[in-house]
Amino acid sequence: MNYLEGKLGWTLLLILGLVFPLVASNDYLLTVMSLAYIYAIATIGLNLITGYTGQFNLAHAGFMAIGAYTVGILTVDHKVSFWLAFALSGFVSAGIGVVVGIISLRLKGHFFSIFTLCVGYIMYLLIEKWESLTHGTVGIIGIPAPESIFGIDFETPRAQYYLVLFFLVLSVWVMHRIVTSLLGRTFMAIRNSDDLAEALGINLMRNKVLAFVLSVFYAGFAGGLYAGSVRFLGPGLAGVEHTFDMTMFMLVGGIGTLFGPLLGSISMPWLTQYLQFLQDYRFIVFGPILVALVIFLPNGIVGTYLAWKARNASRKASAAAPVKRPTVMATAKQEG
């Protein structure tokens, strides 16, 4: 497994991503993988606030919908360029996230989660009922594809796949820079203990809000990509079930790890695709599989592997440590 770690491992994954369209048998597989990448970006953002900072945000899908509707409204109703609307999608979600974060992060634990659950439902209702802005239950139809850049057209599923893959790689790289920096260690200190982090001089409120804003920026960013790929939006995108899907991706892959959410976001959609032949019974099979994973791999696939690796390294270090033999003086003292 060592060859799958570090820069070499990420390089191999990138090569697999680049090669996938060449071996995919049809455009449907490219579409499924593109959507998996989009949800991976959003899940990586949710992992920052939940896995690294310890705050479970149940309004994450609502912020993803805000980013998607930013692109849909600006491009369809106001004829704004897709790229300009896409650039604004993450910032609009982050701007709303500042307000929500300042209010909600005064709460802790499940009180924070319940509050954000209510915020997410309010977002859903606003999207569904504010017909003059969001088109209500009809949704937004006819969202244009991203305009061509340097002669590259993004109308085909293959071109859209590579576009989403590019932004996924960028998102993972930026998140890696965040979590391995002093800021990332600050977030993890808050996750481990609010009181201890505050005793160390960490400004809890400021850093929690910053983590929340960065998290929802990823959600809005993913929503903008979703709008450009699917080209149709409905209020269901803001449903809390999508947040639970992303939570499942984190739990299966490994919460609080960088690779875990990515692994869960890509593997779980394909698992559901392969269980489609069971039709209405596929969830009966899928449910026990998920429960078994949570019971036997509580830290997720990646988290369990990292824990095993740490224990193995500790055993090797203990075995390699020299055994101290008692000196003559120590032996004499014991006998006396």
Side-chain angles (χ1 to χ4, degrees):
M1 290 290 290
N2 291 332
Y3 65 90
L4 293 177
E5 300 176 11
K7 292 182 179 180
L8 178 59
W10 288 106
T11 302
L12 291 174
L13 289 174
L14 177 59
I15 293 173
L16 289 175
L18 293 172
V19 171
F20 179 78
L22 304 179
V23 298
S25 58
N26 53 59
D27 290 341
Y28 174 75
L29 298 179
L30 293 178
T31 301
V32 172
M33 187 62 89
S34 297
L35 290 177
Y37 288 166
I38 291 171
Y39 273 98
I41 295 172
T43 305
I44 290 170
L46 180 60
N47 187 50
L48 178 64
I49 187 66
T50 302
Y52 285 102
T53 316
Q55 310 293 321
F56 186 25
N57 174 25
L58 287 173
H60 201 69
F63 286 101
M64 182 176 177
I66 288 174
Y69 270 85
T70 298
V71 172
I73 292 170
L74 290 178
T75 55
V76 174
D77 294 343
H78 302 284
K79 308 304 178 184
V80 175
S81 166
F82 172 85
W83 292 113
L84 177 58
F86 174 64
L88 292 173
S89 61
F91 289 102
V92 172
S93 295
I96 298 175
V98 172
V99 179
V100 175
I102 290 175
I103 299 172
S104 63
L105 288 167
R106 299 180 186 278
L107 304 172
K108 295 183 179 180
H110 57 275
F111 296 106
F112 168 79
S113 300
I114 293 172
F115 184 89
T116 55
L117 177 63
C118 297
V119 170
Y121 188 63
I122 291 172
M123 291 177 178
Y124 171 80
L125 290 177
L126 286 174
I127 292 173
E128 184 182 42
K129 303 300 182 182
W130 197 349
E131 296 184 1
S132 61
L133 180 66
T134 65
H135 300 210
T137 56
V138 176
I140 300 179
I141 305 172
I143 299 173
E147 294 91 354
S148 60
I149 299 178
F150 303 118
I152 302 175
D153 188 16
F154 297 104
E155 291 283 348
T156 64
R158 177 173 292 188
Q160 291 179 5
Y161 170 90
Y162 281 118
L163 177 67
V164 174
L165 176 62
F166 168 78
F167 284 112
L168 174 63
V169 172
L170 178 63
S171 300
V172 171
W173 179 80
V174 172
M175 187 59 66
H176 176 265
R177 300 287 294 180
I178 292 174
V179 299
T180 56
S181 67
L182 180 60
L183 180 62
R185 297 189 190 97
T186 300
F187 292 157
M188 286 184 274
I190 295 173
R191 176 195 64 190
N192 295 333
S193 173
D194 279 2
D195 295 334
L196 180 58
E198 194 170 21
L200 293 173
I202 294 174
N203 188 317
L204 293 181
M205 190 63 183
R206 183 180 64 190
N207 284 283
K208 283 183 179 181
V209 171
L210 178 58
F212 188 86
V213 170
L214 289 172
S215 173
V216 300
F217 177 86
Y218 266 70
F221 182 66
L225 280 175
Y226 180 89
S229 297
V230 177
R231 304 187 196 176
F232 166 78
L233 298 175
L237 181 61
V240 69
E241 63 271 14
H242 293 296
T243 300
F244 286 127
D245 285 341
M246 289 182 271
T247 303
M248 177 183 64
F249 299 156
M250 285 193 304
L251 292 175
V252 171
I255 190 170
T257 65
L258 186 60
F259 182 59
L262 180 62
L263 176 63
S265 301
I266 295 176
S267 61
M268 296 308 293
W270 284 107
L271 179 60
T272 57
Q273 289 294 320
Y274 283 117
L275 291 177
Q276 278 190 352
F277 70 94
L278 297 173
Q279 296 182 357
D280 295 336
Y281 300 100
R282 67 181 183 273
F283 292 108
I284 298 177
V285 178
F286 180 72
I289 293 175
L290 180 59
V291 171
L293 284 171
V294 173
I295 292 175
F296 297 106
L297 301 176
N299 297 320
I301 297 173
V302 176
T304 302
Y305 167 71
L306 293 176
W308 171 83
K309 181 182 176 184
R311 289 194 301 269
N312 194 35
S314 178
R315 284 195 297 268
K316 289 182 178 179
S318 299
V323 179
K324 293 184 178 180
R325 296 183 177 180
T327 61
V328 175
M329 185 66 69
T331 303
K333 286 183 179 180
Q334 291 176 359
E335 293 176 351

